[in-house]
Amino acid sequence: SGGSGEFLVGGDLLISGDLSGSGATSGASGSGGVPIELPLGSGGSGDQSGSGFSGDLLISGASGSSGVSGSDMPTCLLCTCLGGSVYCDDLKLDSVPPLPKDTTHFYARYNRITKINKSDFANMNKLKRIDLTANEIKSIDDRAFMGMPQLEELVIRENHISQLPALPETMSLIDASHNNIGTKGIHREAFKDMTSLLYLYLTDNNVDYIPVPLPDSLRSLHLQRNNIQMMHEDTFCNLKDFNYIRNALEDIRLDGNPINLSRTPQAYVCLPRIPIGDLI
Ligand SMILES: *[C@@H]1O[C@H](CO)[C@@H](O)[C@H](O)[C@H]1NC(C)=O
Ligand SMILES: *[C@@H]1O[C@H](CO)[C@@H](O)[C@H](O)[C@H]1NC(C)=O
């Protein structure tokens, strides 16, 4: 019963391991060990031919039966679809490709995507993680990420966005570092209802205030190298309740901002650690 073995795809892409039961190999008709040729780079993706899979990409391991049924998806000829994950890194893409409905994790790092459309992730009910690191994204339709009931992690670092889009309350990680997010770039009370939010990274932007209120779940707040000049004594703590302790928030980075943390000595009494930043 075929499935395990090595598949040499298009000369460069070597997939080894047990792939039985995965939708990704349907069409391979289980002839174990026989090399399978896929028409990479042909059929409408002429822009990618010859440039996509440079070097060897080695994928090994077993993919579960809940894998992406990508056999009919042109995206899975161009990208690598495995066990719910779709990898489209470094393919010179200029837009988000159509994704298999079962996608849980989508990676499109190091491409040339300039815009995220509302339709790009429509009806993606299972998506948990989107990673668009190092593209050329300038604009995102504000509701583009709002139809995803399971979305937890969004990484859009190293792009050119000036506005952080609306995000669902299910978020646990938001990384929008190295962008152009400024004064009006964050919705009012954007993070308040994200009761599972753990990591909020906005390093190297132009943010000029701490985006309060922050949920109690938050562990890490990275705001280094922004333009924050002011903090209030109740930014993190509760001045009316001195028993209030914000245990989780142990990692606050404010270095590289024009702020003097010594001016608000009462602002840290509820925190397990004093923020990192200038105290002089
Ligand atoms: C994005 O949507 C606009 C219409 O809102 C459309 O004109 C454009 O072609 C779409 N871009 C992509 C890359 O799908
Ligand atoms: C920072 O604040 C402290 C306390 O108010 C003050 O003594 C110090 O001079 C300030 N430093 C600067 C550089 O303004």
Side-chain angles (χ1 to χ4, degrees), residues 171-206:
M171 300 307 295
S172 69
L173 177 150
I174 300 167
D175 186 351
S177 298
H178 300 272
N179 275 287
N180 305 321
I181 299 169
T183 312
K184 291 181 177 151
I186 301 174
H187 287 289
R188 196 179 128 78
E189 305 198 333
F191 311 110
K192 183 179 170 223
D193 296 321
M194 297 182 184
T195 53
S196 305
L197 187 64
L198 301 173
Y199 307 101
L200 178 56
Y201 299 144
L202 293 164
T203 305
D204 289 297
N205 275 284
N206 202 26

Side-chain angles (χ1 to χ4, degrees), residues 8-242:
L8 192 59
V9 182
D12 278 343
L13 175 63
L14 184 66
I15 302 174
S16 61
D18 182 10
L19 294 165
S20 59
S22 162
T25 53
S26 64
S29 70
S31 47
V34 177
I36 301 168
E37 290 281 340
L38 291 178
L40 285 176
S42 63
S45 57
D47 196 35
Q48 271 79 28
S49 68
S51 62
F53 293 103
S54 56
D56 290 347
L57 175 59
L58 183 65
I59 300 162
S60 52
S63 60
S65 56
S66 66
V68 172
S69 324
S71 50
D72 298 330
M73 265 279 173
T75 299
C76 295
L77 301 179
L78 175 68
C79 306
T80 301
C81 302
L82 264 185
S85 296
V86 177
Y87 298 94
C88 306
D89 293 338
D90 200 10
L91 288 173
K92 300 184 168 70
L93 300 178
D94 54 21
S95 61
V96 174
L99 295 173
K101 194 97 181 54
D102 289 344
T103 306
T104 56
H105 295 68
F106 173 56
Y107 300 86
R109 298 164 292 199
Y110 302 96
N111 281 291
R112 298 169 178 171
I113 299 169
T114 54
K115 184 176 191 304
I116 303 297
N117 269 0
K118 198 157 43 183
S119 55
D120 287 344
F121 297 108
N123 304 313
M124 296 304 294
N125 295 333
K126 301 198 169 156
L127 253 183
K128 285 186 181 343
R129 180 179 173 102
I130 297 173
D131 190 340
L132 295 162
T133 296
N135 276 274
E136 294 162 23
I137 300 167
K138 284 196 179 64
S139 72
I140 300 178
D141 277 349
D142 195 53
R143 308 289 294 173
F145 297 110
M146 285 308 282
M148 287 176 274
Q150 311 229 39
L151 188 66
E152 291 171 7
E153 303 182 340
L154 175 66
V155 184
I156 41 169
R157 48 182 298 125
E158 296 163 60
N159 278 283
H160 309 293
I161 58 167
S162 53
Q163 181 84 42
L164 191 68
L167 292 170
E169 293 172 8
T170 44
M171 300 307 295
S172 69
L173 177 150
I174 300 167
D175 186 351
S177 298
H178 300 272
N179 275 287
N180 305 321
I181 299 169
T183 312
K184 291 181 177 151
I186 301 174
H187 287 289
R188 196 179 128 78
E189 305 198 333
F191 311 110
K192 183 179 170 223
D193 296 321
M194 297 182 184
T195 53
S196 305
L197 187 64
L198 301 173
Y199 307 101
L200 178 56
Y201 299 144
L202 293 164
T203 305
D204 289 297
N205 275 284
N206 202 26
V207 175
D208 60 7
Y209 61 95
I210 296 173
V212 291
L214 297 164
D216 281 343
S217 55
L218 195 65
R219 282 187 202 165
S220 288
L221 175 65
H222 287 189
L223 287 164
Q224 58 268 46
R225 294 184 297 280
N226 275 280
N227 189 31
I228 295 165
Q229 307 179 28
M230 284 221 305
M231 157 132 61
H232 301 284
E233 306 248 288
D234 63 353
T235 293
F236 303 114
C237 301
N238 185 344
L239 288 181
K240 294 188 187 111
D241 177 6
F242 285 100

Side-chain angles (χ1 to χ4, degrees), residues 260 262-263 280:
N260 179 353
S262 300
R263 293 218 170 124
I280 45 146

